[in-house]
């Protein structure tokens, strides 16, 4: 019996292909790779991922604790701002703590004295196609941008975190950005033990020149005598996960519209945030449909695709790339049934690892 839709389906074989590329990069570059949990935190997969990575990095206390508890390895603690109420627990669960500003470092640094401490520095340059996700946008709060302030705390930190890339699939663009960073703050980098170059490098993409990236990272590490870290999120899970849905109704209004048992805002929110379309493969055939969700939002549309056969009530559709920034953002909008989570094992068996029920919906509010 096929599983009841909707569910997210994670493919272990696809994940293994990406992880092989992580192994190549780590071996050839000497860089350590930490999974960015804000992108993907489906912890049933951690047993497969963890042997190929060095640990996790976080954007909150909850992610930090999850990384420590379920992933292991090195646990980096970062947050745009720690609160007084969470700092002690953050320090207790961290192998390194990275402050986003000099004022946070000054506020909490004494408490974290026994840990390697880092500072997120904003070098003022970036590679991003979206203003929303551009750390170097005007008035950015992401990282300390006042060089004079950074210089004053250099003796308190052993490393910097520089996250300046978003969906960068070009080694040349990455390398040019690193050149700019080196020329801006190279003198400071030379005084550190480690530098995290953040996430956003899409090195698992087919055709990406991993050797060239590795050589660039190795040269950087040698020049400044630092341990390099990367914090990949999206590239680890690209093309590993689908959202499996079924057609509930087919209506006509100028074109045929298939309504499925999911909702964009609830289950693939980033499509709305970044105004992108979902994808199906191969999207070929004589039958054209708009695929839309069952929420009451007028713009709850996954996209328009071609199918080889007419869709019927009950037809199944696989929406691609539902791993990164998708499962972590699912929500109970409209009370739409939350997709279950299933894993396709290497031998083809499909295991249901999580189901959500009415009680979970109730528990999400009070
Ligand atoms: C978002 C983020 C990452 C992960 O970025 P990806 O694009 O998913 O690789 C890593 N580090 C920091 C600081 C981030 O904000």
């Amino acid at each position: 019996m096929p599983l009841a839709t909707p569910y997210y389906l994670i493919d272990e074989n696809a994940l293994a292909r990406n992880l092989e590329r992580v192994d190549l990069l780590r071996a050839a570059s000497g860089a350590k790779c930490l999974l960015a949990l804000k992108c993907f935190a489906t912890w049933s997969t951690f047993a497969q991922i963890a042997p190929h990575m060095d640990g996790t990095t976080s954007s909150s206390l909850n992610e930090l604790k999850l990384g420590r508890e379920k992933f292991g390895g090195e646990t980096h603690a970062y947050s745009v701002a720690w609160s007084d109420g969470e700092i002690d627990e953050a320090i207790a669960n961290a192998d390194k703590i990275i402050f986003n500003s000099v004022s946070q470092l000054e506020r909490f640094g004494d408490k974290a004295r026994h840990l390697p401490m880092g500072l997120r520095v904003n070098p003022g340059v970036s590679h991003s196609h979206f203003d929303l996700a551009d750390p170097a946008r005007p008035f950015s709060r992401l990282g300390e941008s006042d060089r004079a302030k950074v210089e004053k705390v250099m003796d308190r930190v052993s490393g910097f975190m520089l996250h300046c890339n978003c969906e960068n699939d070009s080694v040349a663009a990455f390398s040019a950005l690193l050149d700019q960073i080196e020329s801006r703050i190279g003198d400071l980098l030379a005084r550190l033990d480690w530098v995290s170059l953040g996430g956003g490098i899409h090195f698992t993409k087919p055709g990406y020149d991993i050797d060239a990236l590795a050589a660039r990272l190795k040269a950087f590490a040698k020049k400044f005598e630092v341990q390099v870290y990367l914090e990949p999120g999206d590239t680890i899970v690209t093309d590993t996960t689908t959202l499996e849905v079924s057609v509930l109704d087919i209506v006509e209004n100028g074109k045929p519209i298939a309504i499925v048992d999911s909702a964009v805002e609830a289950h693939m929110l980033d499509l709305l945030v970044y105004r992108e379309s979902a994808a199906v493969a191969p999207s070929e055939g004589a039958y054209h449909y708009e695929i839309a969700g069952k929420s009451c939002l007028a713009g709850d549309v996954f996209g328009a695709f071609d199918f080889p056969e007419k869709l019927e009530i009950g037809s199944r559709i696989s929406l691609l790339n539902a791993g990164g920034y998708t499962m972590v953002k699912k929500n109970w909008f409209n009370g739409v049934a939350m997709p279950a989570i299933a894993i396709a094992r290497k031998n083809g068996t499909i295991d249901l690892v999580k189901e959500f029920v009415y009680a979970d919906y109730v528990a999400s509010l009070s």
Side-chain angles (χ1 to χ4, degrees), residues 8 10 35-43 46 57 59-60 63 66 233-234 237 241 265-270 322-332 338-339 341 356:
Y8 296 100
I10 303 165
L35 180 65
L37 294 179
K38 82 159 192 271
C39 171
F40 185 78
T42 308
W43 44 266
F46 287 179
T57 190
S59 39
S60 64
E63 287 183 358
L66 187 79
D234 213 23
V237 291
T241 305
E265 179 149 351
H267 306 155
M268 290 191 96
L269 180 59
D270 253 24
Y325 298 103
T326 307
M327 303 175 81
V328 290
K329 293 191 176 191
K330 62 192 172 48
N331 62 69
W332 286 104
M338 183 72 78
I341 302 173
F356 298 92

Side-chain angles (χ1 to χ4, degrees), residues 121-180:
V121 168
N122 190 331
V125 288
S126 63
H127 176 102
S128 175
H129 308 291
F130 301 98
D131 180 59
L132 182 63
D134 183 357
R137 71 193 220 150
F139 313 112
S140 174
R141 72 199 185 297
L142 300 175
E144 187 61 64
S145 45
D146 184 336
R147 194 191 153 99
K149 278 192 191 162
V150 176
E151 280 175 10
K152 285 204 190 103
V153 297
M154 284 306 287
D155 55 339
R156 300 186 68 184
V157 299
S158 57
F160 283 177
M161 190 263 272
L162 312 164
H163 172 69
C164 309
N165 287 278
C166 177
E167 297 192 3
N168 188 346
D169 58 9
S170 154
V171 188
F174 171 75
S175 183
L177 189 67
L178 205 50
D179 288 343
Q180 284 182 285

Side-chain angles (χ1 to χ4, degrees), residues 39-93:
C39 171
F40 185 78
T42 308
W43 44 266
S44 336
T45 64
F46 287 179
Q48 185 185 0
I49 299 176
H52 304 274
M53 299 189 73
D54 297 284
T56 55
T57 190
S58 49
S59 39
S60 64
L61 178 58
N62 284 330
E63 287 183 358
L64 171 67
K65 287 164 66 178
L66 187 79
R68 178 67 121 198
E69 182 184 320
K70 304 273 191 194
F71 198 102
E74 232 182 286
T75 308
H76 281 202
Y78 166 73
S79 168
V80 169
W82 299 107
S83 73
D84 288 359
E86 61 192 6
I87 189 67
D88 290 337
E89 213 181 345
I91 290 168
N93 283 283

